Amino acid sequence: MRLSRLLRPRTVVSAHCDLPCGVYDPAQARIEAESIKAIAEKYQASEDPEFRTRALIIKEQRAELIKHHLWVLWTDYFKAPHFEKYPHLHQLFNEATKLAGAGGAKGSVDPAVAGRLLAKIEEISTIFWETKKA
């Protein structure tokens, strides 16, 4: 009896995310997507094969970072109540990560593709900041 009383927590707390919410921010994905768009524009403007090769490598690295940042938001920050309030959120994340992948910005040097990715990230960001107000 006494042991269970000693081991019982004195304070019980709960949180809706794994870490304080301040660690999550869609800006990380947006910054990488802006880099991809700038790289695509520079790639299109250059004829230098070495520059273009380096640009492709960096662009693909940035695309992987975008997918990582989006997946962290999707799986760690957003919870069931968010998906109930914003029923299109799963689809939005799916579309954004696909746009960051091989079928999108990772596999393309078209600045317009990067622009579409940026638009999806902006939609996610708008929802994210709305959830932070609640």
Side-chain angles (χ1 to χ4, degrees):
M1 281 285 232
R2 295 175 86 176
L3 182 61
S4 66
R5 192 174 68 206
L6 287 172
L7 296 177
R8 187 176 336 139
R10 291 190 176 130
T11 305
V12 176
V13 297
S14 64
H16 70 277
C17 59
D18 300 333
L19 293 170
C21 289
V23 303
Y24 301 105
D25 194 330
Q28 295 166 305
R30 181 188 45 77
I31 289 167
E32 300 301 347
E34 288 172 351
S35 294
I36 286 177
K37 186 174 182 191
I39 289 168
E41 290 166 350
K42 289 178 185 239
Y43 179 94
Q44 297 296 338
S46 176
E47 297 294 324
D48 180 356
E50 289 177 13
F51 174 85
R52 289 180 130 203
T53 299
R54 285 183 20 249
L56 291 175
I57 292 167
I58 294 167
K59 179 183 64 68
E60 290 188 11
Q61 291 169 341
R62 298 293 179 253
E64 284 300 316
L65 288 171
I66 291 170
K67 291 191 311 185
H68 169 76
H69 293 309
L70 291 176
W71 286 333
V72 167
L73 284 172
W74 194 1
T75 60
D76 293 353
Y77 174 76
F78 286 104
K79 303 296 181 200
H82 300 131
F83 293 108
E84 290 168 12
K85 185 171 181 179
Y86 304 95
H88 66 293
L89 194 53
H90 280 300
Q91 182 66 29
L92 185 56
F93 269 104
N94 184 302
E95 291 168 358
T97 55
K98 296 281 187 196
L99 274 169
K106 186 174 180 182
S108 171
V109 288
D110 183 352
V113 173
R116 289 194 298 274
L117 173 59
L118 275 164
K120 293 291 180 187
I121 292 170
E122 183 57 34
E123 286 183 64
I124 291 168
S125 182
T126 298
I127 293 170
F128 173 84
W129 289 109
E130 286 175 9
T131 66
K132 296 286 277 186
K133 293 177 191 173

